[in-house]
Amino acid sequence: MIKTIVRTFVLSSLMLSISCREDLLVDNADRSNPIISEGIVNNGRLYFPNKESLQLTYDKFKDAEDEVIAGYIDEKDIISLRPIITQKNEKKIASKVAQRIQLLRLNKRFMASKSANAKIDSNDMIEEDIDDLEELVGDDAYGAFLNSDAEIQVANKIYKYTDVGLFIVDIQNYQLLEQYLEVKQISDNLLYPTSDNIKISYIQSLPAGEKISLGNNSSIEYFRGTNTYSGGFGNTGGSSGGSGQTGNTYSGGFESAGGTSSTQMLNFINNLQNCTTYNTWLQSLFGDSNMCVDRYEENRRVKTKAYNYNYYLVYNLGVKVKHQYKGWTGLWRKEKADEIRLGVIGATFYYDYSSYFNPPPASNRITTIYNNNNRYQFDANVFWMQDYLNPGLSSMKGFSTSGYPKIFQDNYYIEDIIPLNFSSSNPIVDKGIYSALKEGNRQLSYNYLNKMFWENVVKKVESFATSTGQPKPDNNITYSYNAVPLGKLLVQKTYYENKYNVNNVEKTFDWGFQIGFSIGDDGHVSPNASPSALKKPQEFKVLMYGIVKKNGKWHGSKINTIQ
């Protein structure tokens, strides 16, 4: 039992006062030309002089191979929260784990926690706990950037991640944060937990999605990424689905996920059950995240992940499958497989811009296709009614979307702008999406969106590809449904990729906070780098699979969070 230490001056100075809502970049918005420099080590933490420097470094490493990330961290010589293990650095990581255990011995609060003695006497238990930290900080690169106390320094502020959220404090007030965590009985190290009742009570007492001050003098600030205390996406168990039949109203089918298929591989995919692994509340503390594990041959496993991470300093949205081997250190490292396939039958999310922009509703429904640096606009009243591709209203060659947010950059991006009063050739689907959004029933709107996507959008894209002399699209398609009168933008994506002799396949849909977008007077998405721009979607949900072929057999998981 942790002894509570009451310090009157701490408690009196930490009365809750919620600051006004702010964008995630406004802290340094007044600096017009920040100096970008390389990170250094300061008191065992990675240090960056400003957020821009951190963002540039993160952008460099977020999709890098493990060997590249490990080389950077090993050169900095910090003890990472989630170390990147390779064949080359296994000995060094084993030494770092030993150092970490010694630091835990000096942490009185850790030593007073349950099973502390057993943990520090057993490398296996510590290694399993370190591995489990992927639930909270699932981004591999950012997990390596943080030190073993889950901290990083930017300018004069320390950012400390805990199992109740992120705390931010000026470096001179770090001791005040330590005292605050002790008084509140919040864990100061992620290798021992805050008790459930304290955790629940604390999280429910504070708002989410914005940074707030925990003291009258703003000594300590707090942030967490989600609005509810929940178990990730909840229980995702259910029917396995099959050919064109994937449970609920979510259609599309696994065979439609592209690529050259074998009977063995298709049978494996279509017999996959919805994953129920790792549905813990930790995964939703800093965004929407779901992770599944298929372990085999005792020391091998396949991890499949869908993530929408919001760590305040960095943001990353995407999907990933990786193959790992448990080496002599007891920690998992990536291992090459014969083949890896990543299939996203559907990824959906939405933006609510009703409180940000108020564009006048268009008089006509306009559908635009962006493809191969060209833009084609169509009268939607005709476009969606005809089986063939009708001539467009206009076309523009050399129209690049490279400056757009990454989320809208795809082989095919179809933008659908909905006016106030519109007719539709498919009122059940089109009007159904609109009505569901108007009633606030996003689950129903997702179901209708998916029906629209597979029964209409994909077919139109195929017709478009044929008319322009291009091959049939290989599922890398993005569709946005912009209900301008409601200030709601729904997005659905499909994606497929397979690779040979690799250890992972990953698709990052969006990251960073620099490039957002606004909605113009014509209803079109417009790239925007200002602090007021929309930068992060909500409610990321997927139906996907990640599978690996090793030693002649397939292994992997299916994630279905559309339920």
Side-chain angles (χ1 to χ4, degrees):
M1 188 69 183
I2 301 174
K3 182 180 179 181
T4 303
I5 301 174
V6 180
R7 293 180 172 87
T8 304
F9 77 94
V10 174
L11 294 177
S12 63
S13 66
L14 297 177
M15 298 295 291
L16 175 65
S17 64
I18 300 175
S19 64
C20 60
R21 182 177 179 179
E22 60 179 340
D23 182 86
L24 297 180
L25 286 183
V26 300
D27 283 355
N28 294 316
D30 57 336
R31 295 191 315 233
S32 56
N33 294 301
I35 298 174
I36 306 299
S37 63
E38 177 66 36
I40 61 173
V41 178
N42 186 10
N43 292 325
R45 308 179 189 95
L46 272 185
Y47 164 84
F48 295 90
N50 46 55
K51 289 183 179 180
E52 292 80 5
S53 295
L54 168 60
Q55 187 67 61
L56 189 66
T57 303
Y58 173 72
D59 288 351
K60 178 181 177 182
F61 289 104
K62 65 179 179 56
D63 290 331
E65 292 294 327
D66 279 8
E67 290 75 13
V68 176
I69 303 173
Y72 175 78
I73 297 299
D74 291 346
E75 188 272 330
K76 300 299 182 185
D77 202 33
I78 67 169
I79 304 176
S80 287
L81 178 70
R82 289 184 52 228
I84 300 290
I85 302 102
T86 66
Q87 284 184 299
K88 184 178 179 180
N89 76 347
E90 277 188 300
K91 187 175 181 179
K92 184 180 183 69
I93 295 301
S95 174
K96 292 294 184 184
V97 171
Q99 292 179 44
R100 192 167 184 170
I101 291 174
Q102 291 306 312
L103 290 173
L104 290 173
R105 290 181 186 273
L106 301 176
N107 185 329
K108 294 180 180 179
R109 296 190 62 203
F110 172 84
M111 292 304 297
S113 67
K114 184 179 179 180
S115 304
N117 288 319
K119 287 181 179 181
I120 61 175
D121 291 334
S122 170
N123 275 25
D124 289 345
M125 292 181 69
I126 289 291
E127 288 159 356
E128 287 180 9
D129 286 350
I130 292 173
D131 186 59
D132 288 343
L133 293 178
E134 189 167 358
E135 295 180 33
L136 183 63
V137 185
D139 189 297
D140 295 337
Y142 197 60
F145 280 18
L146 301 178
N147 71 1
S148 60
D149 288 320
E151 297 171 355
I152 193 169
Q153 182 177 348
V154 179
N156 65 334
K157 291 185 180 293
I158 303 295
Y159 295 78
K160 183 178 184 66
Y161 294 86
T162 74
D163 59 4
V164 302
L166 168 66
F167 293 93
I168 308 165
V169 65
D170 285 347
I171 191 167
Q172 66 267 24
N173 291 324
Y174 183 76
Q175 187 177 6
L176 186 64
L177 173 60
E178 291 181 307
Q179 295 167 349
Y180 176 79
L181 295 178
E182 188 168 5
V183 168
K184 294 292 185 180
Q185 298 184 51
I186 296 170
S187 168
D188 65 350
N189 189 292
L190 289 172
L191 291 182
Y192 76 98
T194 302
S195 67
D196 285 343
N197 61 326
I198 291 175
K199 201 157 27 186
I200 295 171
S201 175
Y202 190 86
I203 289 174
Q204 291 181 340
S205 71
L206 299 173
E210 58 186 290
K211 187 177 69 172
I212 63 171
S213 295
L214 298 178
N216 293 329
N217 60 356
S218 302
S219 301
I220 302 173
E221 296 171 304
Y222 171 85
F223 172 84
R224 79 174 190 278
T226 53
N227 291 312
T228 57
Y229 181 87
S230 64
F233 291 108
N235 190 337
T236 58
S239 63
S240 63
S243 175
Q245 192 175 19
T246 56
N248 289 346
T249 60
Y250 212 76
S251 59
F254 284 117
E255 280 88 338
S256 65
T260 302
S261 305
S262 69
T263 301
Q264 180 196 33
M265 184 270 293
L266 285 176
N267 287 338
F268 177 78
I269 293 174
N270 289 323
N271 286 321
L272 283 172
Q273 298 293 315
N274 290 339
C275 163
T276 56
T277 305
Y278 281 139
N279 289 308
T280 69
W281 69 272
L282 276 174
Q283 290 170 251
S284 62
L285 190 60
F286 292 108
D288 306 323
S289 174
N290 211 42
M291 179 167 58
C292 300
V293 176
D294 182 12
R295 186 166 178 175
Y296 70 102
E297 293 181 6
E298 190 175 348
N299 59 350
R300 287 188 168 91
R301 70 183 183 186
V302 180
K303 270 196 173 182
T304 305
K305 301 164 63 174
Y307 52 85
N308 184 16
Y309 302 132
N310 180 5
Y311 301 118
Y312 185 76
L313 290 172
V314 300
Y315 148 63
N316 198 355
L317 181 147
V319 291
K320 184 175 187 176
V321 56
K322 58 184 179 182
H323 184 252
Q324 293 181 307
Y325 175 81
K326 191 173 185 179
W328 63 270
T329 63
L331 295 169
W332 295 88
R333 59 173 172 80
K334 288 181 186 175
E335 179 190 51
K336 288 184 178 180
D338 303 329
E339 182 180 359
I340 298 182
R341 290 180 177 243
L342 174 62
V344 180
I345 290 82
T348 62
F349 35 85
Y350 85 101
Y351 297 86
D352 184 343
Y353 61 85
S354 56
S355 62
Y356 290 81
F357 319 113
N358 188 27
S363 56
N364 296 307
R365 182 178 177 183
I366 301 296
T367 300
T368 306
I369 296 179
Y370 301 87
N371 166 251
N372 199 26
N373 288 329
N374 296 312
R375 184 179 74 176
Y376 306 84
Q377 287 190 330
F378 300 88
D379 180 348
N381 295 322
V382 179
F383 179 81
W384 295 106
M385 290 178 63
Q386 296 180 341
D387 292 331
Y388 59 91
L389 189 72
N390 59 287
L393 293 175
S394 66
S395 62
M396 180 183 297
K397 295 186 180 296
F399 187 93
S400 175
T401 59
S402 61
Y404 278 53
K406 298 296 181 184
I407 216 160
F408 298 113
Q409 296 182 31
D410 213 334
N411 292 0
Y412 292 89
Y413 169 41
I414 300 88
E415 182 182 34
D416 211 0
I417 300 173
I418 311 301
L420 182 60
N421 297 306
F422 70 98
S423 59
S424 171
S425 61
N426 194 343
I428 294 178
V429 176
D430 286 359
K431 295 278 187 176
I433 299 174
Y434 193 92
S435 296
L437 280 175
K438 189 174 182 178
E439 294 170 3
N441 190 338
R442 285 194 294 274
Q443 181 60 61
L444 184 59
S445 69
Y446 285 155
N447 291 340
Y448 281 130
L449 178 71
N450 172 72
K451 190 175 179 68
M452 175 76 174
F453 185 86
W454 286 106
E455 295 182 2
N456 294 271
V457 175
V458 171
K459 291 179 181 179
K460 285 298 181 182
V461 170
E462 290 176 351
S463 297
F464 173 82
T466 300
S467 70
T468 53
Q470 301 183 68
K472 181 179 177 180
D474 193 15
N475 286 280
N476 300 323
I477 300 169
T478 297
Y479 171 67
S480 68
Y481 180 96
N482 187 3
V484 178
L486 304 178
K488 303 290 192 300
L489 176 71
L490 290 178
V491 179
Q492 178 156 336
K493 301 175 75 75
T494 182
Y495 177 79
Y496 171 82
E497 187 172 4
N498 74 304
K499 291 184 178 180
Y500 299 91
N501 196 34
V502 296
N503 53 41
N504 77 98
V505 174
E506 181 172 18
K507 175 61 176 179
T508 300
F509 294 137
D510 199 16
W511 74 90
F513 287 114
Q514 305 100 317
I515 302 298
F517 68 92
S518 56
I519 305 297
D521 289 344
D522 55 2
H524 285 288
V525 166
S526 177
N528 190 332
S530 72
S532 61
L534 283 171
K535 294 185 172 69
K536 189 176 184 298
Q538 303 178 52
E539 290 191 9
F540 178 47
K541 296 178 180 292
V542 296
L543 174 59
M544 62 172 289
Y545 65 84
I547 61 173
V548 164
K549 189 175 186 180
K550 183 72 174 179
N551 299 331
K553 294 184 178 181
W554 288 97
H555 309 273
S557 303
K558 181 179 83 172
I559 299 177
N560 182 3
T561 62
I562 302 295
Q563 319 255 3

